[in-house]
Protein backbone atom coordinates (compact mmCIF):
# COMPACT_ATOMS: atom_id res chain seq x y z
CA UNK A 1 0.00 0.00 0.00
CA UNK A 2 1.35 3.44 -0.92
CA UNK A 3 0.50 6.43 1.27
CA UNK A 4 0.75 10.09 0.21
CA UNK A 5 1.24 12.78 2.86
CA UNK A 6 0.52 16.45 2.31
CA UNK A 7 2.76 18.39 4.73
CA UNK A 8 3.65 21.86 5.81
CA UNK A 9 6.72 22.74 7.83
CA UNK A 10 8.64 25.65 9.24
CA UNK A 11 12.16 25.18 7.84
CA UNK A 12 13.89 27.38 10.40
CA UNK A 13 15.11 24.61 12.71
CA UNK A 14 15.64 21.95 10.02
CA UNK A 15 18.86 21.33 8.09
CA UNK A 16 16.72 20.93 4.97
CA UNK A 17 14.53 18.08 3.86
CA UNK A 18 17.03 15.37 3.04
CA UNK A 19 18.26 12.92 5.68
CA UNK A 20 21.63 13.79 7.23
CA UNK A 21 23.32 11.85 9.95
CA UNK A 22 23.48 13.90 13.20
CA UNK A 23 21.36 16.77 11.83
CA UNK A 24 17.68 17.46 12.32
CA UNK A 25 16.03 17.19 8.90
CA UNK A 26 12.39 16.91 7.76
CA UNK A 27 13.03 13.45 6.31
CA UNK A 28 14.83 12.37 9.47
CA UNK A 29 11.97 13.48 11.72
CA UNK A 30 9.24 11.83 9.58
CA UNK A 31 11.18 8.59 9.09
CA UNK A 32 11.75 8.44 12.86
CA UNK A 33 7.97 8.69 13.43
CA UNK A 34 7.33 6.02 10.78
CA UNK A 35 9.97 3.76 12.32
CA UNK A 36 8.16 3.97 15.66
CA UNK A 37 4.98 2.78 13.96
CA UNK A 38 6.56 0.10 11.74
CA UNK A 39 9.36 -1.11 14.07
CA UNK A 40 11.53 -1.03 10.96
CA UNK A 41 12.95 1.66 8.65
CA UNK A 42 10.62 3.22 6.08
CA UNK A 43 11.94 5.46 3.31
CA UNK A 44 9.93 8.52 2.25
CA UNK A 45 10.09 10.24 -1.17
CA UNK A 46 9.27 13.96 -1.35
CA UNK A 47 8.13 16.08 -4.30
CA UNK A 48 11.03 18.42 -3.64
CA UNK A 49 14.11 18.28 -1.42
CA UNK A 50 13.94 21.74 0.09
CA UNK A 51 17.23 23.26 1.29
CA UNK A 52 18.24 24.14 4.83
CA UNK A 53 16.03 26.94 6.20
CA UNK A 54 13.45 26.73 3.37
CA UNK A 55 9.79 26.37 4.41
CA UNK A 56 6.88 24.44 2.92
CA UNK A 57 3.29 25.61 2.95
CA UNK A 58 2.55 22.52 0.87
CA UNK A 59 4.87 19.62 0.24
CA UNK A 60 4.13 15.98 -0.59
CA UNK A 61 5.89 12.74 0.18
CA UNK A 62 4.94 9.10 -0.25
CA UNK A 63 6.00 5.83 1.33
CA UNK A 64 5.08 2.16 1.10
CA UNK A 65 3.66 0.31 4.08
CA UNK A 66 2.12 -2.99 5.05
CA UNK A 67 0.34 -1.49 8.06
CA UNK A 68 -3.41 -1.68 7.68
CA UNK A 69 -4.32 1.82 8.89
CA UNK A 70 -7.03 4.18 7.59
CA UNK A 71 -5.92 7.60 6.20
CA UNK A 72 -7.66 9.43 9.09
CA UNK A 73 -5.68 7.38 11.57
CA UNK A 74 -2.36 7.96 9.78
CA UNK A 75 -3.18 11.64 9.98
CA UNK A 76 -3.91 11.54 13.71
CA UNK A 77 -1.05 9.24 14.74
CA UNK A 78 1.62 11.01 12.67
CA UNK A 79 0.67 14.44 14.01
CA UNK A 80 0.92 13.03 17.54
CA UNK A 81 4.42 11.72 16.82
CA UNK A 82 5.75 14.73 14.88
CA UNK A 83 7.14 17.93 16.44
CA UNK A 84 5.16 21.18 16.25
CA UNK A 85 7.17 22.74 13.41
CA UNK A 86 5.81 20.15 10.99
CA UNK A 87 2.19 19.30 10.29
CA UNK A 88 0.55 16.53 8.27
CA UNK A 89 -2.37 18.22 6.54
CA UNK A 90 -3.79 15.34 4.48
CA UNK A 91 -3.25 11.61 4.04
CA UNK A 92 -4.36 9.58 1.00
CA UNK A 93 -3.92 6.04 -0.18
CA UNK A 94 -2.55 6.19 -3.72
CA UNK A 95 -1.64 3.82 -6.53
CA UNK A 96 1.80 2.19 -6.27
CA UNK A 97 2.47 3.67 -9.75
CA UNK A 98 2.40 7.18 -8.33
CA UNK A 99 5.64 8.95 -7.38
CA UNK A 100 5.64 12.31 -5.51
CA UNK A 101 8.60 13.63 -7.46
CA UNK A 102 8.36 12.06 -10.93
CA UNK A 103 4.65 12.81 -11.31
CA UNK A 104 4.84 16.44 -10.24
CA UNK A 105 4.45 18.72 -13.24
CA UNK A 106 5.07 22.07 -11.62
CA UNK A 107 5.43 24.10 -8.45
CA UNK A 108 4.65 27.48 -6.97
CA UNK A 109 7.16 29.17 -4.67
CA UNK A 110 6.66 32.24 -2.52
CA UNK A 111 9.53 34.48 -1.43
CA UNK A 112 8.81 36.83 1.47
CA UNK A 113 10.70 40.07 2.07
CA UNK A 114 10.00 42.77 4.63
CA UNK A 115 11.37 46.25 4.20
CA UNK A 116 10.94 48.00 7.56
CA UNK A 117 13.90 50.08 8.66
CA UNK A 118 14.91 47.81 11.51
CA UNK A 119 14.82 44.07 12.06
CA UNK A 120 11.57 42.52 13.30
CA UNK A 121 12.60 39.71 15.68
CA UNK A 122 9.27 37.95 15.08
CA UNK A 123 10.13 37.47 11.39
CA UNK A 124 13.38 35.75 12.46
CA UNK A 125 13.92 32.75 10.18
CA UNK A 126 10.58 33.39 8.44
CA UNK A 127 11.09 36.43 6.20
CA UNK A 128 14.11 38.14 4.69
CA UNK A 129 14.89 41.66 5.89
CA UNK A 130 15.75 44.19 3.19
CA UNK A 131 15.92 47.68 4.69
CA UNK A 132 16.17 49.67 1.41
CA UNK A 133 13.19 51.01 -0.51
CA UNK A 134 12.21 48.69 -3.36
CA UNK A 135 10.60 50.13 -6.50
CA UNK A 136 7.68 47.87 -7.42
CA UNK A 137 7.42 49.02 -11.06
CA UNK A 138 11.12 48.47 -11.67
CA UNK A 139 10.88 44.99 -10.17
CA UNK A 140 7.85 44.12 -12.29
CA UNK A 141 9.68 45.27 -15.42
CA UNK A 142 12.56 42.94 -14.51
CA UNK A 143 10.17 40.07 -13.75
CA UNK A 144 7.99 40.09 -16.89
CA UNK A 145 10.61 38.68 -19.33
CA UNK A 146 11.00 35.54 -17.19
CA UNK A 147 7.54 34.35 -18.25
CA UNK A 148 7.86 31.71 -20.95
CA UNK A 149 10.31 28.92 -21.80
CA UNK A 150 14.00 29.77 -21.48
CA UNK A 151 17.40 28.28 -20.78
CA UNK A 152 17.98 29.34 -17.14
CA UNK A 153 21.74 28.70 -16.95
CA UNK A 154 22.31 32.33 -15.83
CA UNK A 155 19.93 31.78 -12.91
CA UNK A 156 21.07 28.40 -11.64
CA UNK A 157 23.71 27.44 -9.13
CA UNK A 158 27.06 26.52 -10.67
CA UNK A 159 26.78 23.40 -8.50
CA UNK A 160 23.78 22.13 -10.52
CA UNK A 161 24.83 18.98 -12.35
CA UNK A 162 21.72 18.70 -14.48
CA UNK A 163 22.31 19.14 -18.27
CA UNK A 164 19.00 20.47 -19.53
CA UNK A 165 18.48 23.93 -18.08
CA UNK A 166 15.37 24.81 -20.06
CA UNK A 167 12.37 25.55 -17.82
CA UNK A 168 8.98 27.19 -18.29
CA UNK A 169 7.82 29.96 -15.96
CA UNK A 170 4.07 30.64 -16.11
CA UNK A 171 3.66 33.15 -13.27
CA UNK A 172 5.93 35.66 -11.53
CA UNK A 173 4.14 38.36 -9.59
CA UNK A 174 4.35 40.57 -6.51
CA UNK A 175 1.91 40.53 -3.61
CA UNK A 176 2.15 43.45 -1.19
CA UNK A 177 2.21 42.50 2.50
CA UNK A 178 1.77 44.78 5.54
CA UNK A 179 5.53 45.39 5.74
CA UNK A 180 6.96 44.35 2.39
CA UNK A 181 6.53 42.13 -0.65
CA UNK A 182 5.98 38.50 -1.48
CA UNK A 183 7.14 37.21 -4.84
CA UNK A 184 5.00 34.37 -6.20
CA UNK A 185 6.51 32.24 -8.94
CA UNK A 186 5.10 29.21 -10.74
CA UNK A 187 6.96 26.99 -13.17
CA UNK A 188 7.27 23.54 -14.70
CA UNK A 189 10.39 22.95 -12.67
CA UNK A 190 13.23 24.86 -11.06
CA UNK A 191 17.00 24.47 -11.17
CA UNK A 192 19.05 24.43 -7.97
CA UNK A 193 18.75 27.83 -6.21
CA UNK A 194 16.93 29.27 -9.26
CA UNK A 195 14.15 31.05 -7.32
CA UNK A 196 16.60 32.55 -4.84
CA UNK A 197 18.91 33.80 -7.63
CA UNK A 198 15.97 35.28 -9.60
CA UNK A 199 14.68 37.03 -6.46
CA UNK A 200 18.14 38.39 -5.58
CA UNK A 201 18.41 39.86 -9.08
CA UNK A 202 14.90 41.39 -9.02
CA UNK A 203 15.54 42.93 -5.58
CA UNK A 204 18.81 44.46 -6.77
CA UNK A 205 16.89 46.05 -9.64
CA UNK A 206 14.18 47.26 -7.23
CA UNK A 207 16.80 48.83 -4.97
CA UNK A 208 18.39 50.65 -7.93
CA UNK A 209 21.62 48.65 -7.60
CA UNK A 210 21.49 47.30 -11.14
CA UNK A 211 19.51 47.93 -14.32
CA UNK A 212 16.84 45.50 -15.51
CA UNK A 213 18.32 43.46 -18.36
CA UNK A 214 16.51 40.17 -17.96
CA UNK A 215 16.39 39.10 -21.65
CA UNK A 216 20.09 39.82 -22.08
CA UNK A 217 21.10 37.97 -18.92
CA UNK A 218 19.03 34.94 -19.91
CA UNK A 219 20.55 34.92 -23.41
CA UNK A 220 24.15 35.09 -22.09
CA UNK A 221 23.75 31.75 -20.22
CA UNK A 222 26.40 32.78 -17.70
CA UNK A 223 25.89 32.39 -13.97
CA UNK A 224 28.57 34.93 -13.06
CA UNK A 225 26.38 37.84 -14.28
CA UNK A 226 24.00 37.24 -11.31
CA UNK A 227 26.30 36.51 -8.42
CA UNK A 228 23.82 36.76 -5.54
CA UNK A 229 21.44 34.22 -3.99
CA UNK A 230 18.65 35.46 -1.71
CA UNK A 231 18.71 33.87 1.79
CA UNK A 232 16.82 30.62 2.39
CA UNK A 233 14.68 31.99 5.24
CA UNK A 234 12.33 33.90 2.89
CA UNK A 235 11.54 30.94 0.63
CA UNK A 236 8.36 28.84 0.82
CA UNK A 237 7.35 25.90 -1.34
CA UNK A 238 3.69 26.89 -1.75
CA UNK A 239 2.11 24.36 -4.12
CA UNK A 240 2.98 21.22 -6.01
CA UNK A 241 1.01 20.32 -9.15
CA UNK A 242 0.56 16.74 -10.36
CA UNK A 243 -0.27 15.26 -13.75
CA UNK B 1 26.83 58.01 31.71
CA UNK B 2 23.78 55.72 31.96
CA UNK B 3 22.16 54.42 28.77
CA UNK B 4 18.62 52.99 28.52
CA UNK B 5 17.78 50.53 25.73
CA UNK B 6 14.26 49.75 24.58
CA UNK B 7 14.36 46.25 23.11
CA UNK B 8 12.18 43.65 21.52
CA UNK B 9 13.15 40.01 21.12
CA UNK B 10 11.84 36.68 19.98
CA UNK B 11 12.35 34.39 22.98
CA UNK B 12 12.18 31.13 21.04
CA UNK B 13 15.91 30.52 20.73
CA UNK B 14 16.96 32.13 24.04
CA UNK B 15 17.25 30.36 27.39
CA UNK B 16 15.56 33.35 28.97
CA UNK B 17 16.92 36.80 29.73
CA UNK B 18 19.36 36.12 32.53
CA UNK B 19 22.99 35.24 31.83
CA UNK B 20 23.80 31.54 31.97
CA UNK B 21 27.16 30.05 31.27
CA UNK B 22 27.07 27.94 28.06
CA UNK B 23 23.51 28.94 27.16
CA UNK B 24 22.32 31.57 24.71
CA UNK B 25 20.47 34.22 26.72
CA UNK B 26 19.32 37.77 25.94
CA UNK B 27 21.65 39.20 28.57
CA UNK B 28 24.54 37.09 27.27
CA UNK B 29 24.05 38.27 23.69
CA UNK B 30 23.74 41.96 24.62
CA UNK B 31 26.68 41.91 27.04
CA UNK B 32 28.77 40.21 24.36
CA UNK B 33 27.98 43.08 21.96
CA UNK B 34 28.77 45.67 24.66
CA UNK B 35 32.03 43.91 25.47
CA UNK B 36 33.08 44.19 21.83
CA UNK B 37 32.51 47.95 22.03
CA UNK B 38 34.04 48.52 25.48
CA UNK B 39 36.85 45.91 25.39
CA UNK B 40 35.74 45.10 28.94
CA UNK B 41 32.67 43.55 30.59
CA UNK B 42 29.56 45.70 30.97
CA UNK B 43 26.63 44.56 33.11
CA UNK B 44 23.06 45.30 31.95
CA UNK B 45 19.98 45.57 34.19
CA UNK B 46 16.58 44.72 32.70
CA UNK B 47 13.08 45.77 33.78
CA UNK B 48 12.11 42.11 33.90
CA UNK B 49 14.04 38.85 33.69
CA UNK B 50 11.84 36.98 31.23
CA UNK B 51 11.92 33.17 31.38
CA UNK B 52 13.15 30.75 28.75
CA UNK B 53 10.96 30.96 25.63
CA UNK B 54 9.16 34.16 26.69
CA UNK B 55 9.13 37.03 24.17
CA UNK B 56 9.34 40.80 24.58
CA UNK B 57 7.54 43.30 22.39
CA UNK B 58 8.94 45.94 24.72
CA UNK B 59 11.61 45.46 27.35
CA UNK B 60 14.07 47.92 28.85
CA UNK B 61 17.57 47.58 30.19
CA UNK B 62 20.20 50.06 31.29
CA UNK B 63 23.97 50.05 31.65
CA UNK B 64 26.71 52.47 32.59
CA UNK B 65 29.39 53.44 30.12
CA UNK B 66 32.29 55.83 29.68
CA UNK B 67 32.10 55.68 25.90
CA UNK B 68 31.20 59.01 24.41
CA UNK B 69 28.65 57.86 21.81
CA UNK B 70 25.42 59.57 20.73
CA UNK B 71 22.12 57.64 21.24
CA UNK B 72 21.60 57.33 17.45
CA UNK B 73 24.99 55.72 17.12
CA UNK B 74 24.41 53.31 20.01
CA UNK B 75 21.23 52.33 18.22
CA UNK B 76 22.97 51.73 14.91
CA UNK B 77 26.07 49.97 16.25
CA UNK B 78 24.20 47.67 18.65
CA UNK B 79 21.76 46.54 15.96
CA UNK B 80 24.73 45.75 13.72
CA UNK B 81 26.29 43.63 16.47
CA UNK B 82 23.13 41.88 17.68
CA UNK B 83 21.52 38.81 16.04
CA UNK B 84 18.24 39.13 14.12
CA UNK B 85 15.99 37.75 16.87
CA UNK B 86 16.65 40.81 19.01
CA UNK B 87 16.19 44.44 18.06
CA UNK B 88 17.14 47.68 19.80
CA UNK B 89 14.21 50.00 19.17
CA UNK B 90 15.28 53.12 21.07
CA UNK B 91 18.31 54.42 22.95
CA UNK B 92 18.26 57.24 25.51
CA UNK B 93 20.75 58.78 27.86
CA UNK B 94 19.19 58.76 31.35
CA UNK B 95 19.98 59.95 34.85
CA UNK B 96 22.28 57.69 36.88
CA UNK B 97 19.48 57.66 39.51
CA UNK B 98 17.22 55.75 37.16
CA UNK B 99 16.95 51.95 37.42
CA UNK B 100 15.07 49.87 34.79
CA UNK B 101 13.72 47.49 37.37
CA UNK B 102 13.23 49.52 40.57
CA UNK B 103 11.57 52.44 38.77
CA UNK B 104 9.09 50.37 36.81
CA UNK B 105 5.60 50.73 38.26
CA UNK B 106 3.74 48.21 36.14
CA UNK B 107 3.70 45.98 33.08
CA UNK B 108 1.41 44.69 30.39
CA UNK B 109 1.71 41.09 29.22
CA UNK B 110 0.07 39.46 26.21
CA UNK B 111 -0.61 35.73 26.00
CA UNK B 112 -1.33 34.36 22.53
CA UNK B 113 -3.31 31.17 21.90
CA UNK B 114 -4.49 29.75 18.58
CA UNK B 115 -7.30 27.25 18.45
CA UNK B 116 -7.19 25.75 14.94
CA UNK B 117 -7.74 21.99 14.82
CA UNK B 118 -4.18 21.17 13.79
CA UNK B 119 -0.80 22.63 14.58
CA UNK B 120 0.37 25.62 12.48
CA UNK B 121 4.13 25.16 12.03
CA UNK B 122 4.55 28.90 11.46
CA UNK B 123 3.32 29.63 15.00
CA UNK B 124 6.05 27.29 16.34
CA UNK B 125 7.57 28.88 19.45
CA UNK B 126 5.40 32.02 18.97
CA UNK B 127 1.87 31.03 19.99
CA UNK B 128 0.39 28.26 22.12
CA UNK B 129 -1.81 25.70 20.37
CA UNK B 130 -5.06 24.80 22.11
CA UNK B 131 -7.22 22.66 19.82
CA UNK B 132 -10.44 22.71 21.89
CA UNK B 133 -13.21 25.26 21.51
CA UNK B 134 -12.89 28.05 24.10
CA UNK B 135 -16.00 29.86 25.33
CA UNK B 136 -15.23 33.57 25.39
CA UNK B 137 -18.06 34.52 27.79
CA UNK B 138 -17.04 31.85 30.30
CA UNK B 139 -13.45 33.06 30.15
CA UNK B 140 -14.48 36.69 30.64
CA UNK B 141 -16.55 35.70 33.67
CA UNK B 142 -13.48 33.99 35.16
CA UNK B 143 -11.25 36.97 34.32
CA UNK B 144 -13.31 39.83 35.76
CA UNK B 145 -12.73 39.08 39.50
CA UNK B 146 -8.95 39.37 39.02
CA UNK B 147 -9.26 43.13 38.57
CA UNK B 148 -8.31 44.89 41.79
CA UNK B 149 -5.83 44.33 44.59
CA UNK B 150 -5.53 40.75 45.88
CA UNK B 151 -3.15 38.31 47.51
CA UNK B 152 -2.12 36.15 44.52
CA UNK B 153 -0.62 33.19 46.43
CA UNK B 154 -2.98 30.79 44.60
CA UNK B 155 -1.64 32.05 41.26
CA UNK B 156 2.08 32.12 41.94
CA UNK B 157 4.72 29.47 41.55
CA UNK B 158 5.51 27.56 44.74
CA UNK B 159 9.13 28.41 43.91
CA UNK B 160 8.53 32.14 44.48
CA UNK B 161 10.49 33.23 47.55
CA UNK B 162 8.99 36.67 47.81
CA UNK B 163 6.88 37.26 50.97
CA UNK B 164 4.38 39.91 49.93
CA UNK B 165 2.08 38.36 47.32
CA UNK B 166 -0.36 41.26 47.08
CA UNK B 167 -0.57 42.70 43.57
CA UNK B 168 -2.94 45.00 41.72
CA UNK B 169 -4.38 44.00 38.33
CA UNK B 170 -5.88 46.89 36.37
CA UNK B 171 -6.68 45.22 33.05
CA UNK B 172 -7.41 41.65 31.93
CA UNK B 173 -9.13 41.36 28.57
CA UNK B 174 -9.43 39.19 25.48
CA UNK B 175 -8.53 40.26 21.95
CA UNK B 176 -9.72 38.00 19.18
CA UNK B 177 -7.10 37.12 16.55
CA UNK B 178 -7.61 35.48 13.11
CA UNK B 179 -7.17 32.01 14.61
CA UNK B 180 -7.61 32.38 18.36
CA UNK B 181 -7.34 34.72 21.31
CA UNK B 182 -4.83 37.02 22.94
CA UNK B 183 -5.13 37.73 26.64
CA UNK B 184 -3.92 41.19 27.63
CA UNK B 185 -3.14 41.75 31.29
CA UNK B 186 -1.81 44.84 33.06
CA UNK B 187 -0.72 45.06 36.67
CA UNK B 188 1.48 46.77 39.19
CA UNK B 189 3.70 43.73 39.34
CA UNK B 190 3.55 40.00 38.80
CA UNK B 191 4.67 37.04 40.88
CA UNK B 192 6.77 34.26 39.35
CA UNK B 193 4.71 32.47 36.64
CA UNK B 194 1.60 34.41 37.70
CA UNK B 195 0.41 35.33 34.18
CA UNK B 196 0.94 31.80 32.89
CA UNK B 197 -0.95 30.27 35.84
CA UNK B 198 -3.84 32.75 35.47
CA UNK B 199 -4.06 32.03 31.72
CA UNK B 200 -3.97 28.25 32.27
CA UNK B 201 -6.86 28.56 34.72
CA UNK B 202 -8.94 30.83 32.42
CA UNK B 203 -8.37 28.49 29.45
CA UNK B 204 -9.49 25.49 31.51
CA UNK B 205 -12.68 27.38 32.34
CA UNK B 206 -13.14 28.33 28.66
CA UNK B 207 -12.75 24.69 27.60
CA UNK B 208 -15.35 23.58 30.15
CA UNK B 209 -12.80 21.62 32.17
CA UNK B 210 -13.42 23.50 35.40
CA UNK B 211 -15.98 25.96 36.74
CA UNK B 212 -15.14 29.64 37.20
CA UNK B 213 -14.49 30.24 40.91
CA UNK B 214 -11.95 33.03 40.82
CA UNK B 215 -12.91 34.82 44.07
CA UNK B 216 -12.88 31.56 45.97
CA UNK B 217 -9.53 30.43 44.57
CA UNK B 218 -7.95 33.81 45.36
CA UNK B 219 -9.32 33.72 48.93
CA UNK B 220 -7.99 30.18 49.59
CA UNK B 221 -4.34 31.31 49.02
CA UNK B 222 -3.37 27.79 47.96
CA UNK B 223 -1.30 27.14 44.85
CA UNK B 224 -2.39 23.50 44.57
CA UNK B 225 -5.91 24.50 43.48
CA UNK B 226 -4.51 25.75 40.14
CA UNK B 227 -1.93 23.15 39.20
CA UNK B 228 -1.29 24.17 35.59
CA UNK B 229 1.07 26.72 34.03
CA UNK B 230 0.52 27.76 30.40
CA UNK B 231 3.60 27.21 28.16
CA UNK B 232 6.17 30.00 27.85
CA UNK B 233 5.95 30.22 24.04
CA UNK B 234 2.63 32.17 24.10
CA UNK B 235 3.84 34.87 26.54
CA UNK B 236 4.95 38.38 25.51
CA UNK B 237 6.12 41.23 27.73
CA UNK B 238 4.25 44.00 25.92
CA UNK B 239 4.83 47.19 27.88
CA UNK B 240 6.75 48.46 30.90
CA UNK B 241 5.49 51.56 32.73
CA UNK B 242 7.79 53.87 34.68
CA UNK B 243 7.19 56.34 37.47
Amino acid sequence: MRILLKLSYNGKDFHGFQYQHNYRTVQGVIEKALKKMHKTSVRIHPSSRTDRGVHALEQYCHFDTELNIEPDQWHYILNRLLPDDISVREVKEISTDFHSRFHSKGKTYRYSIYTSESVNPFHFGLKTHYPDRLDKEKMQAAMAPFIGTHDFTSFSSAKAEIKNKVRTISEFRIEETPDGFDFVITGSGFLYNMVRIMVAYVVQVGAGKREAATEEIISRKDRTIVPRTAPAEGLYLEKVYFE
Side-chain angles (χ1 to χ4, degrees), chain A:
Chain A
M1 192 156 66
R2 183 160 288 185
I3 298 288
L4 181 71
L5 305 180
K6 181 174 164 182
L7 305 168
S8 56
Y9 49 84
N10 179 336
K12 178 178 170 297
D13 294 346
F14 289 110
H15 279 244
F17 193 94
Q18 195 166 19
Y19 180 82
Q20 286 180 63
H21 191 60
N22 283 337
Y23 285 100
R24 185 175 187 263
T25 69
V26 178
Q27 182 174 8
V29 157
I30 296 174
E31 290 185 352
K32 190 176 160 198
L34 291 173
K35 192 171 184 176
K36 261 198 190 141
M37 297 176 68
H38 291 80
K39 317 289 175 208
T40 176
S41 294
V42 176
R43 169 65 59 89
I44 62 168
H45 303 271
S47 295
S48 170
R49 293 190 301 264
T50 52
D51 277 340
R52 179 176 176 183
V54 174
H55 316 285
L57 296 161
E58 180 180 301
Q59 159 82 294
Y60 291 87
C61 67
H62 73 262
F63 59 91
D64 293 327
T65 181
E66 285 171 10
L67 296 185
N68 190 14
I69 299 180
E70 290 296 307
D72 275 4
Q73 279 205 288
W74 278 112
H75 193 163
Y76 178 80
I77 298 169
L78 280 173
N79 276 334
R80 295 282 306 226
L81 293 173
L82 289 169
D84 283 356
D85 49 353
I86 175 163
S87 172
V88 173
R89 292 171 52 201
E90 237 177 85
V91 181
K92 264 191 214 167
E93 194 189 326
I94 50 166
S95 152
T96 49
D97 295 339
F98 182 90
H99 192 287
S100 299
R101 183 154 159 237
F102 303 138
H103 290 93
S104 99
K105 67 179 177 62
K107 289 180 204 114
T108 296
Y109 282 95
R110 175 176 295 266
Y111 195 95
S112 206
I113 282 179
Y114 72 104
T115 54
S116 58
E117 201 186 318
S118 51
V119 159
N120 179 340
F122 302 100
H123 289 335
F124 182 57
L126 295 174
K127 284 176 185 257
T128 297
H129 183 226
Y130 199 90
D132 297 343
R133 211 192 84 75
L134 298 177
D135 184 310
K136 195 178 164 188
E137 280 70 40
K138 278 190 185 173
M139 292 197 286
Q140 285 169 322
M143 288 157 66
F146 282 112
I147 304 294
T149 302
H150 310 286
D151 183 314
F152 280 92
T153 302
S154 296
F155 293 92
S156 83
S157 166
K159 278 188 271 174
E161 280 166 26
I162 208 158
K163 285 271 157 51
N164 178 2
K165 298 195 175 176
V166 174
R167 296 292 183 276
T168 299
I169 298 299
S170 55
E171 174 186 43
F172 193 6
R173 62 184 170 81
I174 289 173
E175 272 181 23
E176 289 189 50
T177 59
D179 55 1
F181 297 96
D182 282 4
F183 297 96
V184 179
I185 178 166
T186 301
S188 62
F190 293 90
L191 301 166
Y192 188 58
N193 277 351
M194 179 171 151
V195 175
R196 290 164 58 188
I197 298 168
M198 288 167 67
V199 166
Y201 158 73
V202 168
V203 166
Q204 281 206 299
V205 171
K209 291 185 177 166
R210 69 186 294 162
E211 292 298 312
T214 310
E215 290 98 332
E216 195 205 320
I217 297 170
I218 290 174
S219 69
R220 296 259 297 272
K221 296 179 195 163
D222 175 3
R223 168 66 169 108
T224 62
I225 317 174
V226 191
R228 285 171 194 274
T229 304
E233 60 188 353
L235 186 60
Y236 294 74
L237 176 58
E238 173 153 305
K239 261 184 186 311
V240 181
Y241 307 98
F242 294 106
E243 279 156 14

